[in-house]
Amino acid sequence: MLSRLTLRDFRNHEDALIVPTAPFVLLTGDNGAGKTNILEAVSLLVPGRGLRGAPLSRMARQGGPGGFGVAAQVDGVTLGAGTFPQAPDRRQVRIGGAVQPASALAEYLAVVWLTPAMDRLFMDSAGERRRFLDRLTLALDPAHAVHTTRYEAAMRARNKLLADRGRGWDERWLGALEAQMAEHGAAMQAARAGLVARLQDALAARPDGVFARPELALSGWEGDARPLDAVLREGRRRDAAAGRTLAGPHRSDLIVTHAEKHQAAGLCSTGEQKALLLSIILGHAALVGHEQGRPPVLLLDEVAAHLDPARRLALFVRLADTGSQIWMTGTESALFDGIGAASRLHVADGRVSPA
């Protein structure tokens, strides 16, 4: 859990300090007050682009010095992330005061979030679902960040080489890039498939009458029965013509089905899709806690607002069972009635105070 969180010149927060005293951290206030900004700050303490996926340069406070800083205490270790004014798009990461790559953050903290923007996850592109799945995978396999980063870097270099050289490309260099993609791609797909299988087992073992129960599967890609480097080698001209790589784990998809209705999640109602997402997040938190003894921090933005009182109470019980630290936002404190012990904070104009 985060025992202390500080924000400096982040979004609309000039200087904020939060010291949670309970597993539930409840942030209430008007729309635009800065509640989601606090969740976004926490999400920057793990690898990736944060829960909004925004450019770093947009996170610095308007009218501020140009950079920003976010820091947290986690099990006695200080994790920090931020930017300097002279390099507004480059994230600087420090762990225990020492400069580290962003991928190293995964060794200390796992964070999973659910935001209103994710309500369309099952209607959105396969790329959005892959990114969602990768965040879940990273919580159980910190090395996943390294494999995805190196795979994508090799793929970009290969695409550029194919585009620049046409028929006169360097066979040796292409072969090296394709071998790198095959190595890291196999690790990526194995980690994703392993997570999906274990999470599916966990979800199936705990059917719930309140929230929809999802069935999960991972799609493959064309040619995935053969080594990826062989598929890439044979597809060079096709990929050169397309201007992108057409085979590999970057083409896979997370397939979600409503178990009781035997219906694809994309065909379910908005309420059912929200329930499916909640079930996945809750099941994943329990799985991480079971396998690592360190459940992820959950960031839930405006989740309670669209649930009736009975389902809100059921959600609070399930959240407490995960053992996670849960950061939740809402416009009214009444949305959290019945939640029990919690750190209740009011956010207004970038200022945080006890509620």
Side-chain angles (χ1 to χ4, degrees):
M1 296 186 183
L2 279 67
S3 58
R4 181 185 178 94
L5 176 70
T6 59
L7 281 63
R8 179 66 58 86
D9 293 312
F10 181 79
R11 295 290 189 179
N12 68 331
H13 294 276
E14 181 178 1
D15 190 5
L17 169 64
I18 297 175
V19 182
T21 58
F24 284 97
V25 184
L26 310 180
L27 306 169
T28 58
D30 294 338
N31 293 327
K35 305 184 299 295
T36 304
N37 293 342
I38 294 173
L39 301 190
E40 183 181 30
V42 176
S43 75
L44 294 178
L45 297 173
V46 293
R49 298 182 60 191
L51 61 79
R52 284 190 175 106
L56 291 168
S57 58
R58 295 184 184 177
M59 299 179 189
R61 184 173 61 88
Q62 293 185 9
F68 71 85
V70 175
Q73 285 283 325
V74 180
D75 295 331
V77 178
T78 301
L79 308 182
T83 63
F84 293 113
Q86 59 269 31
D89 286 307
R90 182 181 178 185
R91 179 164 58 165
Q92 302 288 330
V93 170
R94 290 182 179 272
I95 300 175
V99 176
Q100 297 281 355
S103 59
L105 291 167
E107 298 285 348
Y108 297 87
L109 186 66
V111 179
V112 178
W113 53 83
L114 187 57
T115 69
M118 293 168 62
D119 287 351
R120 289 187 51 82
L121 181 70
F122 304 123
M123 306 291 292
D124 219 324
S125 67
E128 289 299 321
R129 288 186 290 277
R130 280 194 302 274
R131 282 186 281 275
F132 172 72
L133 178 58
D134 283 340
R135 288 197 298 273
L136 301 184
T137 303
L138 186 61
L140 285 166
D141 184 1
H144 188 62
V146 176
H147 291 301
T148 55
T149 299
R150 292 180 179 175
Y151 176 89
E152 290 166 2
M155 182 172 64
R156 287 194 298 270
R158 178 180 182 271
N159 289 343
K160 186 175 187 302
L161 194 60
L162 291 176
D164 290 346
R165 298 295 181 87
R167 294 179 180 273
W169 52 61
D170 185 329
E171 295 279 344
R172 182 175 297 180
W173 180 228
L174 270 176
L177 291 172
E178 289 162 354
Q180 185 174 348
M181 289 177 64
E183 176 188 353
H184 295 293
M188 286 168 55
Q189 197 71 356
R192 289 171 176 168
L195 182 279
V196 168
R198 300 198 307 282
L199 182 53
Q200 174 60 36
D201 288 344
L203 291 168
R206 185 174 182 176
D208 196 314
V210 177
F211 298 103
R213 183 165 61 87
E215 289 182 347
L216 310 180
L218 182 65
S219 72
W221 66 86
E222 182 183 354
D224 63 357
R226 294 176 292 156
L228 180 57
D229 52 349
V231 176
L232 293 173
R233 186 167 54 251
E234 294 172 7
R236 289 173 182 172
R237 284 183 168 76
R238 180 191 63 180
D239 292 350
R244 63 187 187 279
T245 300
L246 298 175
H250 64 285
R251 304 281 290 181
S252 61
D253 194 2
L254 175 65
I255 308 301
V256 180
T257 304
H258 190 306
E260 285 76 19
K261 298 179 70 172
H262 304 288
Q263 187 174 54
L267 300 177
C268 292
S269 70
T270 301
E272 288 171 331
Q273 291 181 7
K274 188 80 168 186
L276 289 168
L277 264 175
L278 277 169
S279 291
I280 292 172
I281 294 296
L282 291 168
H284 176 262
L287 180 65
V288 174
H290 174 72
E291 292 193 2
Q292 293 194 343
R294 183 195 69 178
V297 172
L298 300 182
L299 309 177
L300 306 179
D301 193 17
E302 302 288 350
V303 168
H306 303 293
L307 298 176
D308 58 54
R311 283 184 169 80
R312 281 204 298 269
L313 287 175
L315 173 62
F316 299 156
V317 171
R318 287 288 302 275
L319 288 171
D321 286 346
T322 65
S324 293
Q325 184 181 52
I326 304 107
W327 297 62
M328 303 180 73
T329 67
T331 54
E332 303 173 9
S333 60
L335 290 171
F336 304 115
D337 287 349
I339 207 169
S343 293
R344 296 175 180 265
L345 303 168
H346 183 69
V347 184
D349 298 324
R351 294 187 297 274
V352 183
S353 60

